[in-house]
PDB file of all heavy atoms in Angstrom:
ATOM      1  N   PRO F 319    -122.838  33.641   6.181  1.00  0.00           N
ATOM      2  CA  PRO F 319    -123.046  35.029   6.629  1.00  0.00           C
ATOM      3  C   PRO F 319    -122.290  35.980   5.716  1.00  0.00           C
ATOM      4  O   PRO F 319    -121.111  35.802   5.432  1.00  0.00           O
ATOM      5  CB  PRO F 319    -122.435  35.031   8.044  1.00  0.00           C
ATOM      6  CG  PRO F 319    -122.208  33.595   8.405  1.00  0.00           C
ATOM      7  CD  PRO F 319    -122.027  32.853   7.120  1.00  0.00           C
ATOM      8  N   ILE F 320    -122.975  37.039   5.294  1.00  0.00           N
ATOM      9  CA  ILE F 320    -122.309  38.114   4.549  1.00  0.00           C
ATOM     10  C   ILE F 320    -122.365  39.364   5.402  1.00  0.00           C
ATOM     11  O   ILE F 320    -123.444  39.902   5.691  1.00  0.00           O
ATOM     12  CB  ILE F 320    -122.968  38.326   3.191  1.00  0.00           C
ATOM     13  CG1 ILE F 320    -122.983  37.023   2.383  1.00  0.00           C
ATOM     14  CG2 ILE F 320    -122.261  39.462   2.407  1.00  0.00           C
ATOM     15  CD1 ILE F 320    -123.549  37.120   1.002  1.00  0.00           C
ATOM     16  N   VAL F 321    -121.182  39.770   5.833  1.00  0.00           N
ATOM     17  CA  VAL F 321    -121.095  40.837   6.836  1.00  0.00           C
ATOM     18  C   VAL F 321    -120.668  42.141   6.206  1.00  0.00           C
ATOM     19  O   VAL F 321    -119.812  42.163   5.339  1.00  0.00           O
ATOM     20  CB  VAL F 321    -120.052  40.438   7.932  1.00  0.00           C
ATOM     21  CG1 VAL F 321    -120.066  41.429   9.086  1.00  0.00           C
ATOM     22  CG2 VAL F 321    -120.257  39.025   8.453  1.00  0.00           C
ATOM     23  N   ASN F 322    -121.260  43.213   6.669  1.00  0.00           N
ATOM     24  CA  ASN F 322    -120.757  44.562   6.305  1.00  0.00           C
ATOM     25  C   ASN F 322    -121.046  45.482   7.469  1.00  0.00           C
ATOM     26  O   ASN F 322    -121.868  45.158   8.353  1.00  0.00           O
ATOM     27  CB  ASN F 322    -121.462  45.066   5.021  1.00  0.00           C
ATOM     28  CG  ASN F 322    -120.687  46.252   4.406  1.00  0.00           C
ATOM     29  OD1 ASN F 322    -119.629  46.679   4.891  1.00  0.00           O
ATOM     30  ND2 ASN F 322    -121.232  46.794   3.313  1.00  0.00           N
ATOM     31  N   GLU F 323    -120.363  46.594   7.480  1.00  0.00           N
ATOM     32  CA  GLU F 323    -120.649  47.598   8.498  1.00  0.00           C
ATOM     33  C   GLU F 323    -122.021  48.214   8.148  1.00  0.00           C
ATOM     34  O   GLU F 323    -122.359  48.359   6.966  1.00  0.00           O
ATOM     35  CB  GLU F 323    -119.568  48.686   8.463  1.00  0.00           C
ATOM     36  CG  GLU F 323    -119.775  49.751   9.498  1.00  0.00           C
ATOM     37  CD  GLU F 323    -118.584  50.688   9.591  1.00  0.00           C
ATOM     38  OE1 GLU F 323    -117.676  50.611   8.745  1.00  0.00           O
ATOM     39  OE2 GLU F 323    -118.556  51.497  10.568  1.00  0.00           O
ATOM     40  N   ASN F 324    -122.768  48.557   9.170  1.00  0.00           N
ATOM     41  CA  ASN F 324    -124.031  49.245   8.899  1.00  0.00           C
ATOM     42  C   ASN F 324    -123.690  50.712   8.680  1.00  0.00           C
ATOM     43  O   ASN F 324    -123.737  51.554   9.600  1.00  0.00           O
ATOM     44  CB  ASN F 324    -125.004  49.075  10.099  1.00  0.00           C
ATOM     45  CG  ASN F 324    -126.353  49.614   9.751  1.00  0.00           C
ATOM     46  OD1 ASN F 324    -126.518  50.313   8.755  1.00  0.00           O
ATOM     47  ND2 ASN F 324    -127.355  49.319  10.570  1.00  0.00           N
ATOM     48  N   ASP F 325    -123.338  51.006   7.420  1.00  0.00           N
ATOM     49  CA  ASP F 325    -122.855  52.366   7.088  1.00  0.00           C
ATOM     50  C   ASP F 325    -123.932  53.433   7.236  1.00  0.00           C
ATOM     51  O   ASP F 325    -123.625  54.623   7.255  1.00  0.00           O
ATOM     52  CB  ASP F 325    -122.331  52.376   5.651  1.00  0.00           C
ATOM     53  CG  ASP F 325    -121.163  51.454   5.450  1.00  0.00           C
ATOM     54  OD1 ASP F 325    -120.155  51.643   6.097  1.00  0.00           O
ATOM     55  OD2 ASP F 325    -121.265  50.543   4.613  1.00  0.00           O
ATOM     56  N   THR F 326    -125.184  53.040   7.334  1.00  0.00           N
ATOM     57  CA  THR F 326    -126.243  54.043   7.423  1.00  0.00           C
ATOM     58  C   THR F 326    -126.207  54.730   8.774  1.00  0.00           C
ATOM     59  O   THR F 326    -126.580  55.891   8.874  1.00  0.00           O
ATOM     60  CB  THR F 326    -127.656  53.424   7.234  1.00  0.00           C
ATOM     61  OG1 THR F 326    -127.864  52.415   8.255  1.00  0.00           O
ATOM     62  CG2 THR F 326    -127.824  52.805   5.879  1.00  0.00           C
ATOM     63  N   ILE F 327    -125.754  54.032   9.832  1.00  0.00           N
ATOM     64  CA  ILE F 327    -125.742  54.668  11.152  1.00  0.00           C
ATOM     65  C   ILE F 327    -124.345  54.796  11.731  1.00  0.00           C
ATOM     66  O   ILE F 327    -124.147  55.474  12.739  1.00  0.00           O
ATOM     67  CB  ILE F 327    -126.630  53.916  12.152  1.00  0.00           C
ATOM     68  CG1 ILE F 327    -126.272  52.435  12.213  1.00  0.00           C
ATOM     69  CG2 ILE F 327    -128.109  54.091  11.832  1.00  0.00           C
ATOM     70  CD1 ILE F 327    -126.863  51.697  13.398  1.00  0.00           C
ATOM     71  N   SER F 328    -123.350  54.192  11.103  1.00  0.00           N
ATOM     72  CA  SER F 328    -121.949  54.323  11.631  1.00  0.00           C
ATOM     73  C   SER F 328    -121.340  55.536  10.965  1.00  0.00           C
ATOM     74  O   SER F 328    -120.911  55.450   9.820  1.00  0.00           O
ATOM     75  CB  SER F 328    -121.102  53.110  11.294  1.00  0.00           C
ATOM     76  OG  SER F 328    -121.786  51.953  11.496  1.00  0.00           O
ATOM     77  N   VAL F 329    -121.298  56.614  11.661  1.00  0.00           N
ATOM     78  CA  VAL F 329    -120.651  57.796  11.093  1.00  0.00           C
ATOM     79  C   VAL F 329    -119.581  58.321  12.067  1.00  0.00           C
ATOM     80  O   VAL F 329    -119.603  58.016  13.227  1.00  0.00           O
ATOM     81  CB  VAL F 329    -121.664  58.926  10.751  1.00  0.00           C
ATOM     82  CG1 VAL F 329    -122.519  58.526   9.560  1.00  0.00           C
ATOM     83  CG2 VAL F 329    -122.508  59.280  11.933  1.00  0.00           C
ATOM     84  N   ALA F 330    -118.692  59.108  11.521  1.00  0.00           N
ATOM     85  CA  ALA F 330    -117.599  59.741  12.267  1.00  0.00           C
ATOM     86  C   ALA F 330    -116.875  58.740  13.205  1.00  0.00           C
ATOM     87  O   ALA F 330    -116.477  57.702  12.752  1.00  0.00           O
ATOM     88  CB  ALA F 330    -118.101  60.956  13.021  1.00  0.00           C
ATOM     89  N   GLU F 331    -116.789  59.072  14.474  1.00  0.00           N
ATOM     90  CA  GLU F 331    -115.961  58.270  15.367  1.00  0.00           C
ATOM     91  C   GLU F 331    -116.577  56.889  15.636  1.00  0.00           C
ATOM     92  O   GLU F 331    -115.941  56.004  16.201  1.00  0.00           O
ATOM     93  CB  GLU F 331    -115.646  59.016  16.673  1.00  0.00           C
ATOM     94  CG  GLU F 331    -116.801  59.122  17.669  1.00  0.00           C
ATOM     95  CD  GLU F 331    -117.871  60.145  17.275  1.00  0.00           C
ATOM     96  OE1 GLU F 331    -117.659  60.906  16.315  1.00  0.00           O
ATOM     97  OE2 GLU F 331    -118.937  60.170  17.951  1.00  0.00           O
ATOM     98  N   LEU F 332    -117.840  56.691  15.229  1.00  0.00           N
ATOM     99  CA  LEU F 332    -118.457  55.381  15.443  1.00  0.00           C
ATOM    100  C   LEU F 332    -118.083  54.395  14.371  1.00  0.00           C
ATOM    101  O   LEU F 332    -118.391  53.218  14.447  1.00  0.00           O
ATOM    102  CB  LEU F 332    -120.014  55.534  15.444  1.00  0.00           C
ATOM    103  CG  LEU F 332    -120.583  56.375  16.559  1.00  0.00           C
ATOM    104  CD1 LEU F 332    -122.083  56.437  16.436  1.00  0.00           C
ATOM    105  CD2 LEU F 332    -120.242  55.789  17.931  1.00  0.00           C
ATOM    106  N   MET F 333    -117.388  54.905  13.315  1.00  0.00           N
ATOM    107  CA  MET F 333    -117.056  54.041  12.204  1.00  0.00           C
ATOM    108  C   MET F 333    -115.818  53.153  12.445  1.00  0.00           C
ATOM    109  O   MET F 333    -114.903  53.555  13.128  1.00  0.00           O
ATOM    110  CB  MET F 333    -116.670  54.936  11.000  1.00  0.00           C
ATOM    111  CG  MET F 333    -117.749  55.197  10.016  1.00  0.00           C
ATOM    112  SD  MET F 333    -117.360  56.691   9.070  1.00  0.00           S
ATOM    113  CE  MET F 333    -116.136  56.113   7.937  1.00  0.00           C
TER     114      MET F 333
END
Side-chain angles (χ1 to χ4, degrees):
I320 303 182
V321 187
N322 197 2
E323 181 171 10
N324 188 348
D325 297 301
T326 59
I327 53 166
S328 316
V329 290
E331 73 286 351
L332 297 178
M333 263 159 76

